[in-house]
Each structure stands twice: as C-alpha cells, then as structure tokens.
Amino acid sequence: DWIEKTRKYFRPITPIPNVTNGVSSELFAAALRRTISQLQRDADAADVEIPPQYNFYFEAQRSLMKFSPCSPDGLAVQLGEVKSISEVLFAARVNALDGVQRLRISADDTAGPQSDYVDDPATTNDLAILVPYVVTFRSFGPDLAKVLAGFASSSHGFIIKGINVQPAASVAGGYAQPGGYAQPGGYAQP
C-alpha cells in the first residue's frame, strides 16, 4: 500500500528520445543535438550563465553519428536525467550552471574529458537503481533553497546525498570559485 501511495513521487524520468524498440545511433544523435540546443536556450531564457559551447557533459557524444553498441539506450536515459536536473536549476534561476557530471556508460565516454564523469557506481536495491550525479552551480542562498525545494517537490524522487557550499571569491567583472580565475563576461572555471 505504501509503495502504491508514494509511486507518484518516484516516476521514472523519460529517456530522450523515448522509443520502445531501442534507440538507434541516428535517433540519439538527433535528439542529443536538439536537447542541448533547447537546454542552452532555456538557460538563456532563465538568465542562467553556462560555459561557452556547453554540451551538458555530453562532449564525447556531441560530434558522433555512430555510438558504441548498446550505448544509445543508456545515453538516452542519462540525457533525460540531465535535462530534468537542469530544468530544476533553471526554474530556481541560479546564477550559473557549471556542470552536471554523470556516470561513464559507453565506450565513447573514454574519449570525452574525464571531468565530465563521476567515479561513484550506481547502486541497486529492491525498489530502484540509484544513479549518482554531481551538480555544480553558483547561486545566492535563497536560490540554493529554491534548488533544494525543486528537487524535493519533483515527481522523480531525486535524493540529495550531500551539499558542498563554498563562498565565492570577489573578482571585478565576474564570479570566481576558490582556486579559479575569472574570464571577461563573468564566467569562472576551477
């Protein structure tokens, strides 16, 4: 009974693209390009700063037309998850989204920047598969509260296992992270 009552809070995230007979390389390549473009437009509309030519940590896949065997299905799931996470951040209107790191699931991932991935493995229990993501963003305190509220109220059952808050260093003309440098236009890289 409890599981049935709480099911509405733990709906699976829809893969992109969402097809029933397996995702082909061609379908995933087109969906990836469309989704990244849409996320870039959504970030701009929400006034959320993202790195130049940001591919939402699908750098290794962005220029491919053919993918490692069996990987488009898993990548479609991850693309849906990254989109859902990004939408929570855009709705909270954080100052900047620096990254959403994901698991390596494809042989193609070895060609991408290693900073795109987390090393923690997914875990499975009787009810779910728990997949780790590391989300890095810049915001003020009230925006952080909106992000947490957005994840808590999501119908997808996001679980936040830890928060690492670092005060931003003051830099003329932009934001900076400790150990980072500011570029013109206000974006900082670690």
Side-chain angles (χ1 to χ4, degrees), residues 96-138:
L97 170 59
D98 294 325
V100 181
Q101 295 171 289
R102 61 185 180 84
L103 284 176
R104 287 177 191 88
I105 62 164
S106 166
D108 301 322
D109 288 334
T110 58
Q114 297 310 300
S115 61
D116 284 3
Y117 309 103
V118 296
D119 292 324
D120 297 337
T123 57
T124 304
N125 61 29
D126 293 338
L127 301 174
I129 300 170
L130 304 174
V131 181
Y133 283 88
V134 175
V135 180
T136 307
F137 61 92
R138 288 177 270 139

Side-chain angles (χ1 to χ4, degrees), residues 39-62:
L39 288 171
Q40 290 169 341
R41 286 190 301 274
D42 291 349
D44 189 47
D47 202 27
V48 174
E49 192 173 341
I50 57 175
Q53 287 124 24
Y54 186 53
N55 290 311
F56 291 85
Y57 284 156
F58 284 91
E59 189 67 37
Q61 287 78 21
R62 178 75 164 136

